[in-house]
């Protein structure tokens, strides 16, 4: 409850319900998406993990995927370009700008050299091959 009070969403929701449209809101009033809003599906085969991540409204050049061992980090930068035509003014826009990221850990290390990413229609598809475990080696005692 205290977390909601500090972010102000509790009061925003209350006033939105009581008098919608009465209060003037900032032009860029909606907050950035949280990391939990990057929805992912992870599936596993014998040799690789497949990750589907929803990242709508972002160009593929603004998406960054980094892999460190078994930790995968998705980062997207959302850019908003306000345009205004002659004789037109923007009253409200709900599109936002900024960066959002999400990290998650997989059960096994990833082979970074063989990893692949594809972005199509707002869905990022990652193919992350599992790193082959180097088998145990018996040492010869001298």
């Amino acid at each position: 409850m205290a977390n909601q009070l500090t972010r102000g969403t509790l009061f925003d929701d209350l006033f939105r319900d009581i008098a919608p449209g009465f209060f003037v809101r900032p032009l860029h009033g909606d907050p950035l998406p949280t990391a939990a809003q990057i929805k992912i599906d992870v599936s596993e085969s014998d040799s690789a993990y497949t990750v589907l991540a929803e990242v709508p409204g972002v160009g593929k050049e603004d998406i960054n995927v980094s892999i460190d061992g078994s930790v995968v980090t998705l980062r997207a930068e959302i850019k908003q370009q306000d345009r205004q035509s002659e004789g037109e003014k923007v009253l409200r826009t709900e599109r936002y700008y900024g960066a959002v990221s999400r990290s998650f850990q997989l059960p096994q290390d990833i082979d970074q050299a063989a990893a692949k990413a594809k972005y199509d229609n707002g869905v990022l598809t990652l193919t992350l091959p599992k790193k082959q475990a180097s088998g145990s080696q018996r040492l010869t005692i001298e």
Side-chain angles (χ1 to χ4, degrees):
M1 181 78 165
N3 189 19
Q4 286 182 337
L5 289 176
T6 59
R7 289 189 321 202
T9 58
L10 177 66
F11 293 116
D12 290 345
D13 291 342
L14 175 69
F15 289 123
R16 188 177 308 122
D17 292 339
I18 292 173
F22 178 75
F23 297 99
V24 177
R25 297 182 188 168
L27 186 62
H28 301 289
D30 290 345
L32 287 172
T34 62
Q37 288 176 307
I38 297 179
K39 303 294 184 194
I40 62 170
D41 295 332
V42 181
S43 58
E44 178 182 14
S45 67
D46 290 338
S47 61
Y49 298 102
T50 302
V51 177
L52 300 174
E54 290 181 358
V55 195
V58 179
K60 68 179 181 180
E61 62 278 353
D62 296 324
I63 299 173
N64 183 359
V65 179
S66 62
I67 302 168
D68 183 15
S70 64
V71 177
V72 178
T73 301
L74 306 175
R75 184 176 193 282
E77 186 173 344
I78 298 105
K79 297 178 181 176
Q80 178 178 0
Q81 300 173 357
D82 290 332
R83 3 175 219 154
Q84 200 165 355
S85 301
E86 184 74 31
E88 178 183 274
K89 63 180 179 178
V90 177
L91 297 177
R92 177 170 170 82
T93 180
E94 294 181 346
R95 297 179 312 138
Y96 44 79
Y97 61 94
V100 63
S101 66
R102 179 172 184 180
S103 295
F104 54 92
Q105 186 169 10
L106 296 169
Q108 191 172 340
D109 285 353
I110 304 302
D111 183 0
Q112 296 176 18
K116 295 184 181 182
K118 179 183 171 188
Y119 184 66
D120 188 34
N121 289 331
V123 177
L124 177 67
T125 303
L126 303 176
T127 304
L128 307 171
K130 297 176 182 178
K131 189 177 264 187
Q132 298 301 321
S134 54
S136 61
Q137 178 182 0
R138 184 173 180 155
L139 296 176
T140 306
I141 301 175
E142 296 179 16

